[in-house]
Amino acid sequence: MKTYKIALIKGDGIGPEIIDEAVKVLDAVASCCDFDFSYEEALMGGCAYDITGDPLPQETITTALNSDAVLFGAIGGTKWDNLPREKRPESGLLRFRKELGVYANLRPAVVYDELVNASSLKPEVVRGVDLMVVRELIGGIYFGEPKGRDENRGWNTMVYTRGEIERIAHQAFKIAMTRTKRVCSIDKANVLDVSQLWRDVVTEIATQYPEVELSHMYVDNAAMQLIRDPKQFDVMLTGNIFGDILSDEASMLSGSIGLLPSASIGARIGVYEPIHGSAPDIAGQGIANPIATISSASMMLRYALGEIDAANKIDNAIKRALSEGYRTKDLAQYDAKEVCSTSEMGSIIANYSAKCKH
Ligand code: NAD
């Protein structure tokens, strides 16, 4: 039997509560599959600073690099807000992503039928939305040189190399092959030279994936189309800053931040984490929604471990829990038949995930 090594980074605030539920679900699904998990916990964020004086101890990087994948909760909290920037929990997370070289950020936006009323858009616009933003994460204007400011000017540089575009484009096309085989590449090629290179390289890479239909869209139009008719999109491929903005916009289609997973992947180990933060305002109360983290665990099975059946079991179990009316407090006003705690929601999804086909 295969045993996958998973590095668990629970972090701060609600991090430990939601990771515990994801582990419960992973163990449940493993109980009816031919693989198992071994977990190693590692510290990051405020809790790591409190114990070691560093928000990202070297040991955590080593643990992550020796694993098959990282399941991450969330870090941060007001307790650490006044530390010098490099000691703050958020600096630990940025350093971590860089150390692991995770250049592709995958953010699915799925609207569950049962929660169409939770979206700020009309039900008929969001019902059936199932798209994936593939955002380049460690290049572009956030990292380009030169950058700087003086009293009267500030400047940053948006730069992409052919290699950076090629590798993120491959990710997007590979993901599209597992979905409905459509990639829309978002850029600003009508104005920016860097975007024209982006468009040319993406078009070249597309020839290696003849089954995938490629289209291009300017980012300003894409921002509008996401709200007008989000169902037209399958995979949205884009650079760092455009992806930052569009993925936040896409995330609001589905209603609650407690539902949304993400994956950050690169050449080596991937990091699977909810998009939300450590929610210090609700930590320790047992009311956090664990679905974003459980769904991130499903992405880990799908993208890091290639266990597609197991990932589908979890996704179906989440849908079933929602369709039967189970809701955590954040979604209690949307057709709840029963409002449950973080742990109860984890147990319900674990139970449904463990239903074997045979
Ligand atoms: P947040 O995402 O933690 O919380 C925003 C709001 O959403 C809060 O009202 C919170 O209660 C609610 N919320 C978040 N997750 C929820 C869940 N699973 N279930 C129910 N409700 C949920 O954002 P914030 O308040 O701006 O930040 C809090 C801390 O988290 C800060 O220190 C910030 O730096 C950090 N942060 C960390 C990450 C990360 O670890 N990746 C990401 C964003 C923010």
Side-chain angles (χ1 to χ4, degrees), residues 100-155:
L100 265 60
V102 285
Y103 61 82
N105 183 233
L106 319 185
R107 275 202 195 183
V110 174
V111 176
Y112 296 104
D113 279 353
E114 297 71 22
L115 296 176
V116 286
N117 293 320
S119 172
S120 47
L121 296 185
K122 290 179 190 149
E124 62 268 29
V125 174
V126 293
R127 192 184 300 279
V129 164
D130 180 359
L131 62 86
M132 170 82 82
V133 178
V134 177
R135 166 190 169 196
E136 200 290 326
L137 198 59
I138 55 175
I141 196 165
Y142 292 168
F143 292 89
E145 297 284 352
K147 63 182 172 194
R149 62 159 290 176
D150 58 29
E151 209 178 330
N152 298 314
R153 288 175 70 230
W155 58 96

Side-chain angles (χ1 to χ4, degrees), residues 21 44 68 70 110 166 180-181 189 194 199 220 230 237 240 245 251 255 266 278 283-284 296 305 325 339 341 344:
E21 299 316 308
M44 199 205 297
D68 293 308
V70 178
V110 174
E166 283 175 354
T180 62
K181 301 194 172 95
V194 59
R199 191 174 280 221
D220 39 352
L237 163 63
N240 204 343
I245 297 162
S251 73
S278 59
S296 303
L305 311 178
V339 178
S341 67
E344 285 163 348

Side-chain angles (χ1 to χ4, degrees), residues 4-17:
Y4 295 116
K5 282 168 73 175
I6 308 300
L8 291 181
I9 301 180
K10 295 183 175 182
D12 307 315
I14 61 170
E17 301 167 53

Side-chain angles (χ1 to χ4, degrees), residues 86-101:
E86 72 282 3
K87 297 284 184 196
R88 288 181 56 167
E90 294 78 5
S91 305
L93 179 56
L94 292 185
R95 249 200 301 142
F96 185 65
R97 288 176 178 155
K98 212 172 170 115
E99 289 276 352
L100 265 60

Side-chain angles (χ1 to χ4, degrees), residues 160-174:
Y160 270 116
T161 63
R162 173 173 283 276
E164 286 173 325
I165 303 167
E166 283 175 354
R167 67 183 182 181
I168 190 75
H170 278 298
Q171 283 291 354
F173 285 112
K174 282 182 188 149

Side-chain angles (χ1 to χ4, degrees), residues 77-324:
T78 46
K79 180 180 172 193
W80 303 282
D81 278 354
N82 294 323
L83 290 172
R85 186 152 296 281
E86 72 282 3
K87 297 284 184 196
R88 288 181 56 167
E90 294 78 5
S91 305
L93 179 56
L94 292 185
R95 249 200 301 142
F96 185 65
R97 288 176 178 155
K98 212 172 170 115
E99 289 276 352
L100 265 60
V102 285
Y103 61 82
N105 183 233
L106 319 185
R107 275 202 195 183
V110 174
V111 176
Y112 296 104
D113 279 353
E114 297 71 22
L115 296 176
V116 286
N117 293 320
S119 172
S120 47
L121 296 185
K122 290 179 190 149
E124 62 268 29
V125 174
V126 293
R127 192 184 300 279
V129 164
D130 180 359
L131 62 86
M132 170 82 82
V133 178
V134 177
R135 166 190 169 196
E136 200 290 326
L137 198 59
I138 55 175
I141 196 165
Y142 292 168
F143 292 89
E145 297 284 352
K147 63 182 172 194
R149 62 159 290 176
D150 58 29
E151 209 178 330
N152 298 314
R153 288 175 70 230
W155 58 96
N156 292 85
T157 305
M158 190 191 276
V159 56
Y160 270 116
T161 63
R162 173 173 283 276
E164 286 173 325
I165 303 167
E166 283 175 354
R167 67 183 182 181
I168 190 75
H170 278 298
Q171 283 291 354
F173 285 112
K174 282 182 188 149
I175 288 163
M177 289 294 290
T178 68
R179 298 171 52 94
T180 62
K181 301 194 172 95
R182 288 176 297 126
V183 170
C184 180
S185 176
I186 316 289
D187 61 38
K188 191 72 183 167
N190 49 343
V191 177
L192 302 173
D193 292 331
V194 59
S195 277
Q196 190 59 57
L197 177 72
W198 177 281
R199 191 174 280 221
D200 293 347
V201 174
V202 171
T203 304
E204 277 170 42
I205 299 299
T207 60
Q208 298 176 41
Y209 301 87
E211 286 176 55
V212 179
E213 179 193 316
L214 171 67
S215 59
H216 301 275
M217 195 178 276
Y218 298 134
V219 63
D220 39 352
N221 186 24
M224 186 269 280
Q225 295 292 342
L226 252 183
I227 299 298
R228 192 188 70 83
D229 177 21
K231 276 177 269 190
Q232 70 184 282
F233 295 110
D234 178 21
V235 172
M236 301 178 82
L237 163 63
T238 184
N240 204 343
I241 188 169
F242 300 155
D244 193 2
I245 297 162
L246 292 176
S247 61
D248 267 27
E249 188 185 345
S251 73
M252 273 328 291
L253 299 170
S254 65
S256 170
I257 195 167
L259 294 170
L260 297 158
S262 80
S264 299
I265 59 183
R268 298 188 290 175
I269 310 301
V271 184
Y272 297 83
E273 57 179 310
I275 73 158
H276 59 71
S278 59
D281 52 330
I282 58 167
Q285 299 176 33
I287 57 173
N289 190 339
I291 290 180
T293 313
I294 294 170
S295 195
S296 303
S298 161
M299 289 187 84
M300 180 181 84
L301 286 165
R302 192 178 299 280
Y303 295 110
L305 311 178
E307 298 289 356
I308 310 298
D309 284 350
N312 289 340
K313 277 183 206 283
I314 295 179
D315 293 349
N316 290 335
I318 294 171
K319 281 187 199 133
R320 183 169 163 195
L322 292 173
S323 72
E324 292 184 359

